[in-house]
């Protein structure tokens, strides 16, 4: 795993963490069912995910993933100690994360990143003040968190390797901005269908195939009943 790379922000070359997107999906590309149910991969894969969490400095998700799944994002399915937990980052424009979310527990540090929408809304501002007692807040000056700016900030906080754990909206924003270096996907031998079920990348999508992000398959192997595919983003 190469550890760092550079991105361009307003003509300035800045540093960013090495970003690995990891996800479990069904054969038909769904990362949850239309109701949000997401027990997809087997126990061997869950161990693999927690080994990866233990390896990285930070782990990032979008606010909807927190609202739907209430994840802890800690290392707890393999033997571990508190210091193995990566720093948790939530991308949350409006500071909607509930105070009782498990991601705010004291098992690890949490960074919540918000946009300028918070300052324009008294209720959000009040809520963010309460959140700031449980987490560090990164305020982006734009109406949606500027992900390049965020990557630079995380790098400055010593996050040199970052695991991206979804969901599909944040995944698309990250890949569109060319901020993902590697994709590791676990494909479970199941099909759930549903046009409202989330896929690995949603967001607005590209209009034409020639805009597609190209990947190179670096590794593939069977793990229990699942298939693991590891791609480099070109
Ligand atoms: N199978 C798996 O491996 C896996 C892993 C993770 C999640 N999931 C599933 O994915 C689903 C959630 O995915 P989702 O697409 O609904 O939501 P998401 O990607 O978790 O969160 C997206 C939200 O993040 C906020 N955001 C702030 N700045 C952003 C930016 N620059 N780019 C993109 N988003 C930004 C936006 O909400 P605001 O504007 O309100 O801030 C946006 O709607 C859940 O069902 C979860 O279970 C599955």
């Amino acid at each position: 795993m190469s550890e760092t790379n550079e991105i361009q922000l307003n003509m300035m070359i800045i540093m960013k963490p090495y970003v690995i997107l990891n996800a479990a999906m069904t054969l038909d590309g769904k990362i949850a069912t239309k109701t949000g149910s997401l027990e997809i991969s087997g126990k061997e894969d869950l161990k693999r995910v927690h080994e990866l969490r233990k390896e990285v400095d930070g782990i990032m998700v979008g606010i909807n993933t927190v609202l739907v799944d209430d994840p802890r994002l800690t290392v707890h399915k393999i033997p571990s100690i508190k210091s193995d937990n990566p720093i948790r980052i939530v991308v949350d424009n409006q500071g909607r994360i509930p105070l009782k979310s498990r991601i705010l527990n004291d098992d690890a540090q949490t960074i919540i990143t918000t946009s300028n929408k918070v300052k324009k809304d008294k209720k959000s501002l009040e809520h963010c003040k309460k959140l700031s007692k449980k987490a560090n807040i990164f305020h982006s000056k734009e109406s949606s968190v500027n992900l390049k700016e965020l990557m630079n900030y995380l790098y400055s906080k010593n996050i040199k390797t970052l695991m991206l754990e979804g969901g599909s909206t944040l995944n698309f924003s990250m890949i569109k901005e060319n901020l993902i270096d590697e994709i590791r996907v676990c494909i479970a031998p199941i099909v759930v269908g549903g046009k409202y079920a989330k896929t690995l990348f949603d967001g607005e999508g590209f209009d034409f195939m020639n805009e597609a992000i190209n990947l190179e398959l670096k590794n593939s192997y069977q793990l229990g009943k699942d298939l693991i595919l590891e791609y480099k983003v070109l």
Side-chain angles (χ1 to χ4, degrees):
M1 189 192 300
S2 112
E3 288 229 321
T4 58
N5 43 63
E6 298 171 338
I7 45 173
Q8 201 164 343
L9 179 69
N10 297 334
M11 302 309 287
M12 264 167 50
I13 300 291
I14 58 170
M15 301 304 286
K16 71 175 251 322
Y18 183 84
V19 179
I20 302 168
L21 164 60
N22 187 81
M25 68 181 200
T26 62
L27 181 63
D28 50 337
K30 311 294 187 188
I31 61 167
T33 65
K34 62 182 176 185
T35 62
S37 159
L38 86 163
E39 283 83 37
I40 296 173
S41 61
K43 58 180 187 313
E44 298 87 348
D45 181 60
L46 293 177
K47 275 191 173 175
R48 180 193 64 84
V49 171
H50 285 245
E51 293 288 358
L52 184 55
R53 285 183 180 178
K54 195 170 172 176
E55 245 181 76
V56 294
D57 304 316
I59 180 166
M60 184 167 93
V61 291
I63 179 62
N64 291 348
T65 296
V66 174
L67 297 177
V68 175
D69 304 340
D70 194 18
R72 279 174 283 175
L73 298 186
T74 53
V75 183
H76 55 265
K77 293 205 187 289
I78 54 171
S80 62
I81 53 172
K82 197 171 172 179
S83 60
D84 290 328
N85 292 329
I87 296 178
R88 304 167 293 187
I89 301 113
V90 185
V91 185
D92 179 11
N93 284 328
Q94 301 163 76
R96 290 190 290 149
I97 179 169
L99 288 166
K100 282 190 179 157
S101 304
R102 297 201 299 173
I103 206 170
L104 297 175
N105 69 18
D106 57 15
D107 289 346
Q109 192 187 327
T110 304
I111 299 174
I112 301 168
T113 73
T114 64
S115 73
N116 65 8
K117 284 182 181 156
V118 166
K119 289 196 174 140
K120 293 177 183 159
D121 182 77
K122 212 175 150 196
K123 257 189 162 175
S124 304
L125 205 55
E126 281 299 311
H127 185 62
C128 275
K129 270 191 196 149
K130 290 181 189 155
L131 286 173
S132 68
K133 294 192 178 123
K134 292 175 166 252
N136 295 328
I137 315 271
F138 168 84
H139 293 290
S140 176
K141 291 190 185 82
E142 299 174 27
S143 58
S144 187
V145 173
N146 181 321
L147 295 172
K148 283 187 177 159
E149 198 188 342
L150 173 61
M151 290 302 112
N152 191 223
Y153 170 77
L154 296 180
Y155 188 84
S156 77
K157 294 288 166 199
N158 230 10
I159 297 178
K160 302 287 168 19
T161 50
L162 177 70
M163 184 172 171
L164 172 63
E165 270 209 47
S168 30
T169 308
L170 183 61
N171 288 350
F172 185 74
S173 296
M174 284 288 288
I175 202 146
K176 188 179 155 215
E177 297 272 353
N178 205 16
L179 294 174
I180 300 178
D181 299 286
E182 220 181 291
I183 298 175
R184 298 187 189 178
V185 63
C186 166
I187 302 181
I190 51 175
V191 169
V192 292
K195 66 177 172 181
Y196 297 114
K198 296 276 171 186
T199 66
L200 184 56
F201 294 96
D202 286 341
E204 71 270 30
F206 295 121
D207 289 333
F208 301 103
M209 278 300 169
N210 64 7
E211 295 173 272
I213 307 289
N214 291 302
L215 311 174
E216 183 185 333
L217 183 64
K218 296 302 252 184
N219 194 16
S220 61
Y221 57 96
Q222 187 160 357
L223 188 59
K225 63 180 176 55
D226 302 321
L227 176 66
I228 310 296
L229 299 176
E230 297 180 351
Y231 292 92
K232 180 178 178 219
V233 180
L234 300 177

